[in-house]
Amino acid sequence: MLTRNCLSLLLWVLFDGGLLTPLQPQPRQTLATEPTENVIHLPGRRSHFQRVKRGWVWNQFFVLEEYMGSEPQYVGKLHSDLDKGEGTVKYTLSGDGAGTVFTIDETTGDIHAIRSLDREEKPFYTLRAQAVDIETRKPLEPESEFIIKVQDINDNEPKFLDGPYVASVPEMSPVGAYVLQVKATDADDPTYGNSARVVYSILQGQPYFSIDPKTGVIRTALPNMDREVKEEYQVLIQAKDMGGQLGGLAGTTIVNITLTDVNDNPPRFPKSIFHLKVPESSPIGSAIGRIRAVDPDFGQNAEIEYNIVPGDGGNLFDIVTDEDTQEGVIKLKKPLDFETKKAYTFKVEASNLHLDHRFHSAGPFKDTATVKISVLDVEEPPVFSKPSYTMEVYEDTPVGTIIGAVTAQDLDVGSSAVRYFIDWKSDGDSYFTVDGTEGTIATNELLDRESTAQYNFSIIASKVSNPLLSSKVNILINVLDVNEFPPEISVPYETAVCENAKPGQIIQIVSAADRDLSPAGQQFSFRLSPEAAIKPNFTVRDFRNNTAGIETRRNGYSRRQQELYFLPVVIEDSSYPVQSSTNTMTIRVCRCDSDGSILSCNVEAIFLPVGLSTGALIAILLCIVILLAIVVLYVALRRQKKKDTLMTSKEDIRDNVIHYDDEGGGEEDTQAFDIGALRNPKVIEDNKIRRDIKPDSLHLPRQRPPVEDNTDIRDFINQRLQENDVDPTAPPYDSLATYAYEGNGSVADSLSSIDSLTTEADQDYDYLTDWGPRFKVLADMFGEEESYNPDKVT
């Protein structure tokens, strides 16, 4: 600061009184800012030229920034050669900061800065000066511009605008490996002095890293830095201006440096032997254990691949890598059996997937460990000797025939007996049975291949010691065909022959069908039945290809003589036992044209040649219809007359109600009931005495065999009597008998006649004597009637 003030004072002394000096006359008018007019005249010099317009110029002014003096800082002086010191010239100042930052003495032209200035805020100010006549206010000189520059001082320290920094460098890098370049900026004027010249240094982070003092490039300073030993580093960087000299200002920043991983470490098993225990019932493909090799590297450099070294027992297992944990997962490839082998031993190799060729010299990047697997015994269900069974049986095989057997064994150490049974969920029809001890399968019903050709069911084998342990096997039984059905003729069963047919003409080709399962290559033979071979009208020609032709044997056929012919054809198959059948074909004689095309085969064509015309036939048919109508009318009249007679005789059906309360004359006893009482209701009102019942004095009680009192029957009869006695509208049907209830304990079951035989002669009533005393009268009546039969041969 002192140096700059002295320099400013020297400049002021040199140019005092000469900043505005007379100029020589110029050939043209020039601006104050043009370089040709910036001519400084020393005091005492006289110009030999006359000034045309302007007689004064000045140089740039300088002012120190951050001036802290008590008085305004002197900047410079303006002076015109027209100013004779008589006080007639006035100086004015305008432009940047005029009046606020800079002031001018109107009389002397002295310029001062009235406040402290910051070059970093505004490096220079452009102002305009003018000299005017103090009385006339007219310019004595044209207005001219000049610049006041703010002189820089070292008042700003270097700053790291991008800090703090984050960088990375691979581990095991050589010395001098590039890490990062940092840069500090200084707000001071780089063109003036050393205020903005920065030098870089490391305050913290040695001896691992170094920095170039001029460029700020950070590099590694130690070889083979290992990430597994230390991964993060924090480096403190300083930037100092003034070229790093004493008194310069400094700024700092932090650089966080991370060592990135390289594959410089092989995987290693923490132990040489791994012991695993696996139940023998473990399913194929299941994970039975995990092993792990440790790799201190990171990311893909730590990815491990596991492999089973070929050897004893390794073919039963497989190993894969868990991508999340980098563990080796051992899986089962084949089933284990404790009874066969109890332990397995093999080796597993772990190696890196991504190798770095720079570290091959350190040795192989792999490791090996031994895996020992012990098989644990588990109680298992019985095991069938086959995964499935297929058997064959002929249809119609007798029930109980053994068609095969299944076998299952308990392979555990403590062997148990096995029991067999059919899984009824798969065989609901129960066509077969299985022996629970031997496992033999036999037929339970007659089999029909044409109904079901194949049976599919399951047999379950369980341990006697533990029935819950069971296994299932599928049984497939094919029903073999037996030649039990004869071949039959295929459609059509009816054909036609022309009246003008010639001998040897084939009128129809037939084939055969067999419901049996015909073997490949089976042949059918065709021939006439023996009874039809005598003087045949037609014959059968066998083509030896399972077809035959119906051949004519006559020269022409007449529908008038015979319309239909029936031809018995014998068809025989070639299976064992041989089956044959006789099939009757119907051959209809038809009228044909000369080309053999059928014209008509109906009945009308047969009768027309006799000589009757169509009109005559219609008349005959009309007569037949009239006769049929007369017959139907006569029958209808007869039925109507018979119906009227029947209704007259039965006009009042109440006459047929017969009283059976006594042992009287039966149906011929018409005195039992007075029908007049019903026809004249007034008689009922006048005479309350019932005429259909004899007086008590004349009624002799019937001698009945003693019977057991049945309370159910008594209650039922009393209830019905009470209901009819209290009903005033009920007619006196005292002879109506009800047989709808037989009571309890009856040994006769039902007395209904629905199930009776057609005639009484067909019935045997000897069983009535076994029913007890209640039915003694019936037994005597029907027994005597049967013995009295005069037609019975003794």
Side-chain angles (χ1 to χ4, degrees), residues 161-197:
L161 301 180
D162 297 331
Y165 295 87
V166 177
S168 63
V169 63
E171 64 172 334
M172 310 304 290
S173 297
V175 176
Y178 176 84
V179 180
L180 179 69
Q181 182 178 13
V182 297
K183 185 176 182 179
T185 59
D186 197 321
D188 292 328
D189 190 359
T191 63
Y192 181 75
N194 294 327
S195 299
R197 191 164 69 89

Side-chain angles (χ1 to χ4, degrees), residues 7-54:
L7 181 60
S8 300
L9 183 59
L10 178 60
L11 291 174
W12 181 80
V13 172
L14 292 176
F15 294 99
D16 184 24
L19 290 175
L20 296 176
T21 56
L23 294 177
Q24 302 297 327
Q26 299 294 330
R28 62 180 179 89
Q29 184 177 357
T30 60
L31 296 176
T33 56
E34 293 181 1
T36 57
E37 296 182 351
N38 290 338
V39 180
I40 300 176
H41 298 276
L42 295 177
R45 299 278 306 269
R46 292 291 184 266
S47 176
H48 299 287
F49 301 94
Q50 293 186 354
R51 178 175 57 83
V52 176
K53 182 177 182 182
R54 189 176 61 181

Side-chain angles (χ1 to χ4, degrees), residues 522-543:
Q522 177 169 267
Q523 293 292 327
F524 297 103
S525 60
F526 303 83
R527 67 176 186 274
L528 279 179
S529 62
E531 61 274 10
I534 303 173
K535 295 182 179 180
N537 294 303
F538 302 91
T539 187
V540 177
R541 182 191 298 179
D542 193 349
F543 295 138

Side-chain angles (χ1 to χ4, degrees), residues 151-335:
Q151 189 68 42
D152 182 53
I153 63 173
N154 189 21
D155 60 342
N156 292 281
E157 75 277 2
K159 294 182 180 180
F160 293 93
L161 301 180
D162 297 331
Y165 295 87
V166 177
S168 63
V169 63
E171 64 172 334
M172 310 304 290
S173 297
V175 176
Y178 176 84
V179 180
L180 179 69
Q181 182 178 13
V182 297
K183 185 176 182 179
T185 59
D186 197 321
D188 292 328
D189 190 359
T191 63
Y192 181 75
N194 294 327
S195 299
R197 191 164 69 89
V198 178
V199 174
Y200 301 95
S201 62
I202 293 181
L203 300 182
Q204 177 184 331
Q206 297 168 332
Y208 305 104
F209 301 95
S210 63
I211 189 171
D212 189 296
K214 294 183 179 180
T215 62
V217 175
I218 303 175
R219 300 180 182 274
T220 58
L222 285 181
N224 301 328
M225 286 190 293
D226 193 355
R227 186 196 67 86
E228 288 73 33
V229 176
K230 186 177 182 180
E231 184 177 4
E232 301 287 342
Y233 294 87
Q234 192 176 76
V235 181
L236 182 62
I237 304 297
Q238 176 185 265
K240 190 175 184 180
D241 58 12
M242 298 300 292
Q245 297 178 6
L246 185 64
L249 302 178
T252 59
T253 188
I254 292 176
V255 181
N256 294 312
I257 301 176
T258 303
L259 295 182
T260 59
D261 185 63
V262 298
N263 192 12
D264 58 337
N265 295 284
R268 291 287 181 264
F269 284 106
K271 54 184 179 181
S272 59
I273 300 177
F274 292 87
H275 293 275
L276 301 176
K277 294 181 179 180
V278 183
E280 63 172 337
S281 60
S282 299
I284 296 176
S286 61
I288 60 176
R290 290 172 174 256
I291 62 174
R292 182 179 182 181
V294 179
D295 191 333
D297 292 326
F298 178 76
Q300 69 174 10
N301 296 321
E303 293 181 1
I304 303 174
E305 181 182 21
Y306 296 91
N307 293 288
I308 295 178
V309 179
D312 181 31
N315 58 345
L316 269 71
F317 306 93
D318 192 11
I319 187 168
V320 295
T321 303
D322 188 331
E323 295 181 358
D324 297 329
T325 63
Q326 293 299 313
E327 293 178 318
V329 182
I330 300 177
K331 294 186 176 182
L332 190 62
K333 289 174 57 178
K334 298 180 181 180

Side-chain angles (χ1 to χ4, degrees), residues 394-396 480-487 514 516-524 572-580:
Y394 282 98
E395 61 178 336
D396 298 330
L480 303 180
D481 185 50
V482 175
N483 193 24
E484 55 182 339
F485 294 100
D514 195 338
D516 292 316
L517 183 62
S518 302
Q522 177 169 267
Q523 293 292 327
F524 297 103
E572 188 177 85
D573 60 19
S574 60
S575 299
Y576 181 82
V578 176
Q579 298 287 348
S580 64

Side-chain angles (χ1 to χ4, degrees), residues 697-711:
S697 59
L698 299 179
H699 179 71
L700 296 177
R702 297 170 57 185
Q703 296 297 326
R704 301 178 181 269
V707 297
E708 296 179 5
D709 186 15
N710 194 318
T711 59

Side-chain angles (χ1 to χ4, degrees), residues 425-548:
K425 295 180 181 179
S426 60
D427 186 19
D429 296 333
S430 65
Y431 285 98
F432 305 93
T433 59
V434 62
D435 187 276
T437 304
E438 302 297 331
T440 56
I441 301 174
T443 58
N444 197 36
E445 295 182 17
L446 288 178
L447 306 179
D448 183 12
R449 191 205 64 81
E450 285 70 30
S451 176
T452 304
Q454 190 178 76
Y455 294 88
N456 193 344
F457 58 94
S458 298
I459 290 182
I460 298 176
S462 63
K463 298 173 66 170
V464 175
S465 60
N466 188 357
L468 295 178
L469 293 177
S470 62
S471 57
K472 185 185 297 185
V473 69
N474 187 63
I475 308 296
L476 184 65
I477 297 180
N478 295 317
V479 181
L480 303 180
D481 185 50
V482 175
N483 193 24
E484 55 182 339
F485 294 100
E488 297 176 353
I489 192 171
S490 300
V491 292
Y493 280 91
E494 183 175 342
T495 186
V497 63
C498 293
E499 289 182 313
N500 55 358
K502 304 298 181 182
Q505 182 178 346
I506 301 297
I507 61 173
Q508 181 67 48
I509 295 178
V510 296
S511 60
D514 195 338
R515 286 188 293 168
D516 292 316
L517 183 62
S518 302
Q522 177 169 267
Q523 293 292 327
F524 297 103
S525 60
F526 303 83
R527 67 176 186 274
L528 279 179
S529 62
E531 61 274 10
I534 303 173
K535 295 182 179 180
N537 294 303
F538 302 91
T539 187
V540 177
R541 182 191 298 179
D542 193 349
F543 295 138
R544 305 298 181 183
N545 59 354
N546 291 341
T547 62

